[in-house]
Amino acid sequence: GAVVSQHPSRVICKSGTSVKIECRSLDFQATTMFWYRQFPKKSLMLMATSNEGSKATYEQGVEKDKFLINHASLTLSTLTVTSAHPEDSSFYICSAKYRGSRSTEAFFGQGTRLTVV
Amino acid sequence: AQTVTQSQPEMSVQEAETVTLSCTYDTSENNYYLFWYKQPPSRQMILVIRQEAYKQQNATENRFSVNFQKAAKSFSLKISDSQLGDTAMYFCALLTSGTYKYIFGTGTRLKVLA
């Protein structure tokens, strides 16, 4: 089956620093990856769509300068939270879609819990 | 605007019993897909079942089945013979072929009681 690996699973960083989260498709190529944010006991909110070799498309209200997304290869997308603040603390989840596939199924990483202190 | 509504924040069911989780949605698209995802305490999102809007037949996956009412824009999930491992958060999701963006409902927390 398709596996998406997200790293790290947990990270604690100091306020004002930056933290990078990686999302890798381990056994398939993904031209499109998605980044979500999930607040406690809430739903997943799409932050941005990451396309390999091009700029990410951000959802309304998401600061692109704060949440930097890079999709440099067909198997890796990264989300960098810059100048993190406590309000950025959340659970971040990525998902990936098969390259060139008509399949509608997205495969999810295991998520990253970010705590900014 | 596309929306997904899950009106049951929490539900519980006795082991081996049947439970139905509700979901309604709204979209102006004709070509779309509906999903139920399960998020156990590990937080890993797992696909439970998928339904293509153009198919009239309700999807079934072992103990999981859906009741897809296209005109009513309703997409409920039935879990038969509930097991303790079914305890999780369940999200209903809508995907339109135009945007390929998932819209998630707010989730239903299901607890299966021994």
Side-chain angles (χ1 to χ4, degrees):
Chain A
V3 178
V4 175
S5 177
Q6 205 171 323
H7 178 79
S9 57
R10 291 175 181 268
V11 59
I12 300 173
C13 70
K14 291 185 177 180
S15 187
T17 63
S18 297
V19 61
K20 180 184 287 186
I21 302 170
E22 293 186 347
C23 179
R24 293 182 184 273
S25 55
L26 297 186
D27 51 1
F28 67 100
Q29 292 183 330
T31 49
T32 305
M33 291 185 174
F34 304 89
W35 287 96
Y36 298 85
R37 182 172 179 176
Q38 186 178 26
F39 293 97
K41 298 185 179 181
K42 298 291 185 182
S43 187
L44 282 72
M45 302 299 296
L46 180 64
M47 298 174 64
T49 303
S50 168
N51 297 297
E52 186 267 337
S54 63
K55 291 184 178 180
T57 304
Y58 290 81
E59 295 300 302
Q60 190 173 9
V62 177
E63 299 177 61
K64 61 180 181 181
D65 294 331
K66 180 165 191 62
F67 299 99
L68 300 179
I69 292 172
N70 185 288
H71 194 157
S73 77
L74 288 171
T75 59
L76 174 64
S77 176
T78 60
L79 167 67
T80 301
V81 183
T82 63
S83 186
H85 289 103
E87 57 265 30
D88 298 326
S89 297
S90 192
F91 193 72
Y92 294 87
I93 305 176
C94 72
S95 71
K97 185 177 176 298
Y98 269 105
R99 174 190 187 190
S101 170
R102 294 182 180 179
S103 171
T104 57
E105 183 176 355
F107 302 92
F108 287 83
Q110 66 269 50
T112 297
R113 175 163 301 288
L114 170 64
T115 303
V116 184
V117 297
Chain B
Q2 297 170 123
T3 60
V4 177
T5 302
Q6 293 178 251
S7 59
Q8 305 154 313
E10 294 186 357
M11 293 190 73
S12 61
V13 62
Q14 289 293 136
E15 194 175 9
E17 296 294 310
T18 296
V19 64
T20 299
L21 308 184
S22 301
C23 173
T24 58
Y25 63 94
D26 191 23
T27 179
S28 57
E29 299 286 333
N30 290 321
N31 193 14
Y32 57 90
Y33 307 83
L34 294 161
F35 304 82
W36 279 97
Y37 277 90
K38 169 184 177 181
Q39 188 180 42
S42 67
R43 305 297 294 270
Q44 175 73 57
M45 294 287 283
I46 301 167
L47 177 65
V48 175
I49 200 165
R50 167 178 45 215
Q51 175 82 42
E52 291 88 346
Y54 61 85
K55 289 187 177 179
Q56 293 185 341
Q57 186 173 9
N58 289 325
T60 299
E61 287 288 340
N62 300 313
R63 298 184 294 109
F64 300 89
S65 62
V66 299
N67 183 2
F68 175 45
Q69 301 290 326
K70 191 172 183 179
K73 294 185 178 176
S74 170
F75 183 62
S76 61
L77 173 69
K78 186 172 80 171
I79 306 174
S80 304
D81 186 25
S82 297
Q83 300 175 0
L84 295 178
D86 295 333
T87 293
M89 192 77 165
Y90 286 81
F91 291 99
C92 179
L94 166 70
L95 177 74
T96 58
S97 59
T99 65
Y100 270 100
K101 293 180 181 179
Y102 279 75
I103 305 298
F104 287 90
T106 50
T108 296
R109 186 172 301 279
L110 176 68
K111 188 170 184 179
V112 180
L113 307 171

